[in-house]
Amino acid sequence: MKGSVAVVGGGIAGIQAALDIADSGFKTYLIESRPSIGGVMSQLDKTFPTNDCAMCILSPKLVETARHPNIELLSYSDVKSISGKAGDFKVKVIKKVRYVDETKCTGCGSCTEKCPSKVPDEYNAGMSKRKSIYIPFAQAIPRVATIDAAHCLYLTKGKCGVCKKVCGPKAVDYEQKDKEIELNVGSVVLATGFKPFDPSELKQFRFEHPDVITALQFERLLSASGPTQGHVTKQSDGKVPKKLAFIQCVGSRNLRINRKHCSSVCCMYATKESIIAKEHDPELDITIFNIDIRAFGKNFEEFYNRAQREYGIKYNNSRPPEVIVDANNALSLKYEDFNTGDLKTQNFDMVVLSIGLDPADSTRTLAQSSGIALDDFGNIATSIENPVETSVAGIYVCGVAQGPKDIPDTVAQASAAASKAAALLSGERGTMIKERKFPDEKVLSPEPRIGVFVCHCGINIGSVVNVPNVVEYAKSLPGVAHAQEMLYACSSDSQVTIKDAIAKNNLNRVVVASCTPRTHEPLFQNTCREAGLNPYLFELANIREHCSWVHMKEKEKATEKAKGIVQMAVAKSALFQPLYKQKVPLINKAIVLGGGVAGMTAALDIANNGYGVTLIEKEKELGGKLREMTELYDGKNPSDVLKELISRVNQNKNIKVINEAKLTKVEGFLGNFKGAVAVKGKEIPLDFGAAVIATGARNFEPVGLFSYGKDSHVVTQAQLEKMLGKGISTNNITMIQCVGARNKDREYCGRTCCIDAVKNATRIKKANSSANVYVLYRDMRTYGVMEKLYENARDLGIIFIKYEAENPPKVQGGSVVVHDSMLNEDIELASDLVVLSTPLVAGENEEINQLFKIPLDKNKFFLEAHPKLRPVDFATDGVFLCGSAQAPKLIDEAISQASAAASRACTILSREFIETEGAISVVNEGRCIGCGTCVAVCPYNAPSLYDVTVKVEEVTYTTKKSKINPAACKGCGSCAAACPAGAITAQHFSSKEIGEAIDAFDKGVRSISIGKGVVEVTV
Amino acid sequence: MSAEAVAATKTDGWEPKIVAFCCNWCSYGGADSAGMGRFQQPASARIIRVMCSGRIDPLHVFNAFLEGADAVLVTGCHIGDCHYVNGNDKTKIKYKYLENVAHELGIEKERLQLNWISASEGEKFANFIRDVTEQIKKLGPSPLKPEGVA
């Protein structure tokens, strides 16, 4: 067994897997084929459904990966083969020749600037030019130049050589060769991602026309770092398009070219790109031509509705067979009008092809060379019960390499794969890692020397706030020794710039004016620490979320406000003092709430990682929703799966199951929770270091809808599932989709209902081929590889009829009347059994939300820390989330998430100690009057009173003083606000520091005092 | 300031200056969500981040008025959602006291407001800032504003 793991693929999946594995105490090799890690996510402008800036959330992860002491990055490297067995693999890696010495290159870009050879830039999907020696994008990791040997003049023709001449550190080396290395690792995680479908294969879409582009190209057009700096223009003439069409399912759901899968993400990315394009240009007319709109994820349906309601984006339910190019080179589409059935033609200035996700070539070659099985679609084969385990023990898979999926599902799977790899190697944990080393903190000069770095954030800030103006203003502020602007303050090169500026200007405080500290403070604090500054000498001025994004049309006022915000941060930072965290021991045990398939999986994964788990289930037996199922969608018997799972749980020595139990109390914090469980009238104390919430969801009872509850022939899909366990004899079955979902009361999509309906319809039809089975639907959302179930169902003769939400079917005695929106007429279907597909709804989550102080979303499901990159975390440290408690989910998805939550929990449980908060409250003993107010207000019992003997001249007396336990203090500052004697300082948020910010709140205040002196400010 | 001057400023495109105390976990996140959702709002507010609304000392509030704030907003998590168990319960108690003192000092009630805003309530945050700005525009500058501050 080796305590190391190789992660193949450096997109968001590989990055997340590598970070989790390394954080759990294993040496990790991250191998990426391209010159930089970041994958396709690095090319995205925004992410759905929150329209978060993709680079802004990805860049901190890139930097974290590069900085991690236990991640060794092998970029521009291909994996040739994997051999060996679980615990002891040999991975052959080709380090492709870069012609640049990675150890010498500083990423200064001089070579790129001088290089005379221009080639299409793959980062901008071929729409701009880069040089032959290049760094792929501003935030690239590693920030090292690479020579494109196919185009380099020196390497192809022996001419030029200018890059070598201009390279200061002498990093360019034309003699370099490919290098083969062999890694010996205990486990391998495959995260090889996907290849965007190449639409030139489908000649009818006329991809050769400059104004027919792929959605990835359109994404680059929308991006501030793209070829047109975010201005959407036609490639043909540079003019602004007025009318734009998206064609969905290009390279997906297409049997003729053997793309049977749904790519899962295209409906949402088309919606996202349309919204962004409309934000750029509200006059732009956008139509999305589609087969079904598959808005199945959390908050997707709401996003889709907003696109129509607020942005006026049109969705046309037909797929134009071709793009027509006329004699003048103008584009038009012919399609069937959905409402009238008429054939129509419309002209468009630009056509965007929503291309699907194809398996990456490297996935196939690697699978073949290493004996890893693929599925029918060319993805790495897995099963429902083991969604991240490949056919080879010890090799795991995550992300799109396993099947099409979006970023949160990818991130969850990545953590799941990490959990499996770590569990396999748990005996070797910590054997191959090294500690992160920081330079000593430098001695602070008494006077503040503040550095201010003002970020453009591409155009996110710079297009509204006049950044150079803010920089000039910052320079005029007292205590500021250095101020400059940055394109992306969070990029890796900017971290180098900041560190250089700290050294060069002897800075002792740093203010970055960019985005919210809630996401970016740790990154910059780390940069300060690497430059020898205590992290608490740093302050973020939020001029994006709180300024440029909310004053988009008031540029001058926004600039003035930005100056004010920077001034407040500068004034406050001048008073900052170094603070230090303390190390406290932790409880290396977890609890899991909920004994369904998610909870059991989470418990098993934590236990297999070597930590104790208490699994708390409210019912008599384990199993949850899986108990109610009679067949899985791959045909397996759920009771077999369940039996196996329960026996593994019961046999695991690290797991203690408590049935008919309820968590009643939680106190404490990350690593040191103190709780209590009520079991059969008794309350038992339970201490734990981390918790996983896996409480699932419940079926919606459609009482009063479609005669449910009145007519015994009307049942729910869940009831049918049970009935099918014994088999049914009915001949005419009609299913109605979206009952109680996608409406005013419940806006969200139930995600699993379409797949459940198709599965059960197929079961009925297979058992009785003469049965008439109808599925009445609004959009069939059989996403990903589930599309094949839908296709099979249609082949079997199951009839799918689309209805509109405004005109729902009517259940009348033994029949259902539906208005077929394709035929535009009412159809009466004889129905002996009417099946209502209802969504999962949130369970009794309020109690747990109160206990842990974790938030719920508007549908009462639990709200994760970040919808994209932290899908199983909570904002509260030490508490994690999985399964349908977060939102409705398929079983394999719930299992992936459960392993992911376990992985996240293990990154805590594997630590030797927990670091306390640095910004905690302290008592000034001289001022303390021993009144005990702080003791009364603190919810963590951090302050306590002790006796002291005081001697004043001749008088000696005993009194009480307060002291604060730094391990218990969470730094809320309530005691400081409550102390009547002003004896408590909430460090980092002291009254002095807040006072300075208040003094400075209005740009143009008369004076701000820094330290002891008062400095006049003129504005 | 004379009554005429006050009247003049009211009609003169005058923008009030608002200090908003926000807790790190909820209302500051709400202000962030307003940004992420692009919920536009007047550029009148300056946010001071504290870890918990329980940290807000009545002295900070009066300090803000004395430095020229036309309104001061105390915001935090919804009751029951406090990241620090019950910090906002304490805020509520302190706020009652603040209200009384503000009343004694002749500060109009619109100038001192308490609101619970969760991290997901971006639109609520933006609407709150817009509403307060409108209310204060009608009232004019704060009577506590020192000379020479706009």
Side-chain angles (χ1 to χ4, degrees), chain A residues 533-570:
Chain A
L533 282 186
N534 182 281
Y536 293 92
L537 300 172
F538 170 79
E539 178 78 351
L540 253 177
N542 186 344
I543 60 168
R544 189 180 72 176
E545 280 86 347
H546 295 184
C547 190
S548 68
W549 277 353
V550 292
H551 313 306
M552 291 165 99
K553 299 205 171 82
E554 299 183 291
K555 295 186 180 180
E556 276 176 30
K557 282 183 183 169
T559 302
E560 289 309 295
K561 178 170 169 180
K563 288 179 187 172
I565 294 171
V566 168
Q567 180 162 350
M568 288 163 78
V570 165

Side-chain angles (χ1 to χ4, degrees), chain A residues 467-644:
Chain A
V467 171
N469 210 327
V470 177
V471 171
E472 282 314 304
Y473 182 71
K475 281 182 183 162
S476 75
L477 295 173
V480 172
H482 172 82
Q484 71 170 96
E485 54 192 282
M486 307 189 116
L487 183 59
Y488 288 102
C490 57
S491 69
S492 60
D493 59 318
S494 292
Q495 307 319 302
V496 176
T497 308
I498 293 170
K499 282 190 271 186
D500 289 348
I502 291 171
K504 195 174 151 213
N505 301 295
N506 192 25
L507 303 177
N508 55 21
R509 309 284 191 285
V510 173
V511 171
V512 172
S514 58
C515 49
T516 174
R518 283 163 51 93
T519 56
H520 280 63
E521 194 173 57
L523 170 77
F524 295 117
Q525 284 186 324
N526 206 30
T527 302
C528 289
R529 189 61 199 84
E530 288 180 351
L533 282 186
N534 182 281
Y536 293 92
L537 300 172
F538 170 79
E539 178 78 351
L540 253 177
N542 186 344
I543 60 168
R544 189 180 72 176
E545 280 86 347
H546 295 184
C547 190
S548 68
W549 277 353
V550 292
H551 313 306
M552 291 165 99
K553 299 205 171 82
E554 299 183 291
K555 295 186 180 180
E556 276 176 30
K557 282 183 183 169
T559 302
E560 289 309 295
K561 178 170 169 180
K563 288 179 187 172
I565 294 171
V566 168
Q567 180 162 350
M568 288 163 78
V570 165
K572 189 181 170 203
S573 75
L575 292 184
F576 283 163
Q577 292 301 319
L579 298 174
Y580 298 93
K581 295 181 172 185
Q582 297 192 10
K583 293 172 178 178
V584 290
L586 78 152
I587 302 159
N588 301 92
K589 279 188 275 186
I591 61 164
V592 174
L593 294 185
V597 62
M600 283 192 284
T601 304
L604 275 168
D605 270 40
I606 294 171
N608 290 337
N609 265 281
Y611 307 105
V613 192
T614 306
L615 179 57
I616 301 165
E617 167 58 44
K618 65 172 188 224
E619 304 293 336
K620 268 187 187 154
E621 285 176 285
L622 296 172
K625 277 261 153 320
L626 198 54
R627 274 195 179 281
E628 299 166 15
M629 301 193 84
T630 52
E631 190 176 305
L632 300 181
Y633 47 80
D634 64 354
K636 281 197 198 88
N637 185 345
S639 71
D640 295 343
V641 174
L642 197 56
K643 246 183 253 162
E644 207 255 355

Side-chain angles (χ1 to χ4, degrees), chain A residues 716-724 728 735 760 833 835:
Chain A
T716 64
Q717 192 67 247
Q719 287 165 333
L720 175 70
E721 173 87 30
K722 249 183 220 167
M723 290 158 67
L724 288 175
I728 56 168
M735 297 185 181
N760 286 337
L833 187 66
V835 184

Side-chain angles (χ1 to χ4, degrees), chain A residues 23 88 184 200 260 317 320 396 433 606 677 698 700 772 779 787 882 948 1003:
Chain A
D23 281 342
D88 187 13
N184 188 197
S200 51
K260 294 179 185 172
N317 198 228
Y396 307 99
I433 57 165
I606 294 171
V677 182
R698 57 190 174 84
F700 172 65
N772 298 309
D779 292 277
E787 180 69 9
C882 61
V948 281
K1003 186 185 80 66

